[in-house]
Amino acid sequence: MTDLVLDRVALSAGGRTLVRDLSLQLAPGERLALLGPNGSGKTTLIRALAGLAQPAAGSIRRPAGAPGMLFQDGALWPHMTVEQHLQFVDARGDRAWHDQLLQHLELTSLRTRRPDTLSGGERVRLGLARAFAARPAWLLLDEPLAHLDAHFSDVLREVLPALVAEVRATTVVVTHEPDNVRLLADRVLCLSGEGPAWIGTARDALDAPPTALLAALSGRGTLLHGTADARGEVALPFGLSLSGQPSGARVAAFLDAASVRFTENGARLRGELLAPDGRGGSWVRSGGRLLRCGEAPGARAPGSDVGLAIVGAPRALQGPA
């Protein structure tokens, strides 16, 4: 097995440079998540890795053999049944492995059906089964958990890491969900759509996001902005501040949700409880701004006036605000 190596790669689409001077090496079996906003170049990079698009500059060295691919639009073959999709890509004809995939992805009862008779979620699961069918040495998965209901999202969060471990494939996966990154990736490549990229461990990307873009994508807290005065002091919303910043600089800061708690003991900050945030915390509106609180609403009703305590300090982020 060989590494997947990108050497000073540049990618363009629609006359715009999305990625420039990207160098990256993935060892056999390593897992990489691609993060970034829509239009940042994630799918363009997946296509370049697969050899379906050429980089504007630089080179890509790929592992041996064809990758197992899940396309965002499915790209299923309309004349083939579920079972035939797996047989077509696997020259070895490992029927036992195919049966195992169909069982894991809850497709066994659909094995004689064609794509036009399947739901959107069933087509995603067929695309995944096809990607794994030949036990490829490397995988390119574009949004594998998209278009799924809550049940199958939970099923795949358990099944996908197990399948990747089973085939021991080098994996590049596009996702928008931080929780999926924790399950599916060792490292993260964050694309901005404007050239610069950030590469680091999944833990660093999510637990202590270093850039404004990663902080926004992490879903772990509140992104704040301010401008440093002549003394390097930055006044931030909610009565917070930073010091030691370059005079006149526009600064992005991150306040972790765990630093915001509910309190009624002399609270100097108050807000309106809006809703749970889906990650065990709450959304609150204070002073016309949204603030993520690390505590669940509990018995508090939406619309309630709540007191808040900020028990931790905001952290200055790298790069442009």
Side-chain angles (χ1 to χ4, degrees):
M1 296 175 68
T2 56
D3 293 355
L4 174 61
V5 181
L6 288 77
D7 184 21
R8 307 192 69 175
V9 166
L11 299 173
S12 300
R16 186 165 65 96
T17 298
L18 301 175
V19 176
R20 67 171 61 93
D21 202 29
L22 173 61
S23 294
L24 173 69
Q25 183 168 347
L26 290 184
E30 192 172 2
R31 307 173 304 163
L32 178 77
L34 298 185
L35 288 179
N38 291 335
S40 61
K42 301 185 298 296
T43 295
T44 301
L45 178 54
I46 284 280
R47 289 178 56 80
L49 292 175
L52 301 175
Q54 291 302 311
S59 63
I60 300 174
R61 189 178 79 208
R62 302 170 178 87
M69 286 198 67
L70 174 71
F71 298 89
Q72 197 172 101
D73 61 0
L76 300 173
W77 299 305
H79 61 291
M80 290 188 183
T81 66
V82 167
E83 193 169 41
Q84 288 169 341
H85 274 78
L86 276 59
Q87 293 168 353
F88 184 78
V89 299
D90 182 14
R92 296 172 300 180
D94 188 344
R95 295 295 182 87
W97 172 238
H98 299 175
D99 288 344
Q100 187 177 340
L101 286 171
L102 295 177
Q103 181 179 355
H104 281 316
L105 296 168
E106 300 191 22
L107 291 169
T108 301
S109 64
L110 306 176
R111 64 195 311 149
T112 61
R113 299 261 294 272
R114 290 185 169 82
D116 64 350
T117 70
L118 302 176
S119 70
E122 288 165 349
R123 288 194 291 272
V124 171
R125 285 147 47 205
L126 171 55
L128 280 169
R130 181 180 63 180
F132 282 93
R135 290 183 176 268
W138 58 305
L139 288 160
L140 302 173
L141 307 178
D142 199 348
E143 296 284 4
L145 297 175
H147 313 298
L148 298 171
D149 61 27
H151 166 70
F152 282 112
S153 290
D154 289 344
V155 168
L156 286 185
R157 284 188 181 98
E158 181 175 351
V159 167
L160 260 182
L163 290 177
V164 170
E166 169 75 18
V167 299
R168 292 179 292 181
T170 305
T171 304
V172 180
V173 56
V174 175
T175 182
H176 284 92
E177 289 292 327
D179 291 343
N180 297 338
V181 173
R182 295 182 187 279
L183 294 170
L184 298 174
D186 307 303
R187 283 197 287 164
V188 167
L189 169 60
C190 183
L191 303 179
S192 68
E194 298 177 351
W198 180 90
I199 304 170
T201 68
R203 175 173 292 182
D204 286 345
L206 299 178
D207 293 347
T211 70
L213 179 53
L214 277 167
L217 294 170
S218 74
R220 288 181 54 87
T222 306
L223 190 61
L224 308 173
H225 296 90
T227 301
D229 63 18
R231 299 172 300 167
E233 299 288 330
V234 184
L236 298 170
F238 313 116
L240 299 170
S241 65
L242 284 171
S243 60
Q245 303 302 308
S247 176
R250 179 73 172 163
V251 176
F254 184 68
L255 181 65
D256 196 291
S259 297
V260 184
R261 317 297 293 178
F262 292 122
T263 183
E264 292 303 330
N265 298 324
R268 290 185 293 176
L269 183 65
R270 303 202 70 84
E272 177 193 2
L273 177 63
L274 299 180
D277 70 353
R279 301 183 185 281
S282 307
W283 283 113
V284 177
R285 182 186 290 116
S286 178
R289 298 181 60 96
L290 285 179
L291 177 64
R292 195 187 290 267
C293 172
E295 286 191 69
R300 303 173 184 87
S304 299
D305 176 72
V306 292
L308 299 165
I310 298 179
V311 298
R315 177 170 52 84
L317 299 171
Q318 305 169 10

